[in-house]
Amino acid sequence: MGKPTLVVLAAGMASRYGSLKQVDGFGPNDESIIDYSIYDAIRAGFGKVVFIIREEFEQVMREKFDAKLAGKIEVAYAFQDFDLSKFGIDRTIERAKPWGTAHAVMSAKDQVDGPFCVINADDFYGSDAFEKMAVFLSNEATDDRMCLMGFEVGNTMSDYGYVSRGVCEVDQEGNMASVTERTKIYYKEGGDGEKKIVYEEDGVTRELAPDARVSMNFWGFTPRIIQVAIDLFPEFVENNADNPKSEFFIPSIPDYMVKNGMADFKVIPTSSKWFGVTYVEDKPIVQENISKLVNDGVYPKELF
């Protein structure tokens, strides 16, 4: 089996951040978060990185990554756009942005031919997650056994607003029983003065335990997941043609496969503290965290 592939979701508009955070600088030499993810992936044994981007980002991304990654890891690009015909759908639907993270992964269908990992461009996961993922993809991944990294939701929050997380239910064998995308998770002060983690659903606010396992879009797949997504996508489009904000989320595909007995998804636990940038106010916190890791010798001052 060849080396696994890293698929980076980098097509987001960054509307809450206010700029193209995929290439914003956070490290001592203006390194982006993606730089650290790719550095960790190369160390863990990944052989290729595929950037899923909007086509208008291509020049910026190539200028940022192509030269410094040459000879270190194979680089490819896939475009997420509004063309539904590439997935067998003969209609045009006006939208402000494409169809979400599962649609983004579908856009890489011609760039992956073996086990691959999906990550967000603006999330910092750490070397442990990449090492565990590489081991799984190289030794365990099959069309009926895939995985995700299970972070504790309390280690993934922002102090500056709501976040979206795939909340997992884990069975006794350590496999995902279900995963539900919660799009508004945030801190709320309780009656005792302590902050609680809550989410909103259908106008109702519910509490979420700090150690609840969540997906940070750090998944281990085989190409079968792409075909299942392509099979499900036409019905999603039909049901949401008049909803311009609807999104075809990655967690809905594993959830469908689990509930229909098509595959198991191992939840690989980690207590690592995730950090990332949803809001511009998050930037100094990310810079501080990365600076500490560099000063502690976890990463070199110059990655590439």
Side-chain angles (χ1 to χ4, degrees), residues 55-187:
E55 191 167 3
E56 58 262 36
F57 298 166
E58 182 180 9
Q59 182 177 349
V60 172
M61 295 292 285
R62 286 190 178 277
E63 290 175 354
K64 180 76 174 179
F65 295 105
D66 282 8
K68 68 183 172 188
L69 295 180
K72 299 177 178 67
I73 190 169
E74 181 183 350
V75 178
Y77 295 86
F79 300 135
Q80 184 182 16
D81 54 34
F82 299 94
D83 181 10
L84 297 175
S85 66
K86 65 176 71 173
F87 305 114
I89 301 173
D90 185 20
R91 65 184 301 181
T92 300
I93 297 175
E94 296 294 329
R95 291 172 59 93
K97 61 181 182 178
W99 292 83
T101 52
H103 175 242
V105 174
M106 288 161 50
S107 303
K109 61 185 176 68
D110 296 327
Q111 298 291 352
V112 294
D113 58 6
F116 65 100
C117 169
V118 174
I119 65 167
N120 290 335
D122 51 1
D123 289 353
F124 190 103
Y125 300 102
S127 60
D128 179 66
F130 286 96
E131 290 167 5
K132 289 178 177 177
M133 180 61 72
V135 169
F136 179 91
L137 293 177
S138 298
N139 298 293
E140 294 186 52
T142 63
D143 283 349
D144 55 11
R145 183 158 178 78
M146 296 178 242
C147 76
L148 71 153
M149 283 289 157
F151 289 79
E152 297 178 6
V153 68
N155 287 336
T156 73
M157 301 293 292
S158 169
D159 288 324
Y160 299 104
Y162 65 81
V163 296
S164 297
R165 302 287 181 257
V167 181
C168 305
E169 180 184 346
V170 184
D171 66 20
Q172 293 182 342
E173 284 74 42
N175 295 325
M176 184 188 78
S178 67
V179 58
T180 305
E181 188 76 11
R182 304 295 186 192
T183 55
K184 287 190 175 181
I185 301 176
Y186 56 94
Y187 285 122

Side-chain angles (χ1 to χ4, degrees), residues 45 61 65 77-78 88 92 103 165 177 183 217 243 252 264 266 272 285 287 294:
M61 295 292 285
F65 295 105
Y77 295 86
T92 300
H103 175 242
R165 302 287 181 257
T183 55
N217 264 355
N243 181 3
S252 66
D264 292 326
K266 180 180 180 180
S272 297
I285 298 172
Q287 290 174 316
V294 171

Side-chain angles (χ1 to χ4, degrees), residues 258-290:
V258 168
K259 289 177 178 176
N260 286 276
M262 300 170 66
D264 292 326
F265 288 80
K266 180 180 180 180
V267 179
I268 301 176
T270 177
S271 58
S272 297
K273 182 172 175 56
W274 165 97
F275 54 90
V277 283
T278 302
Y279 302 90
V280 68
E281 292 88 350
D282 293 321
K283 182 172 181 175
I285 298 172
V286 173
Q287 290 174 316
E288 181 181 346
N289 284 328
I290 290 177

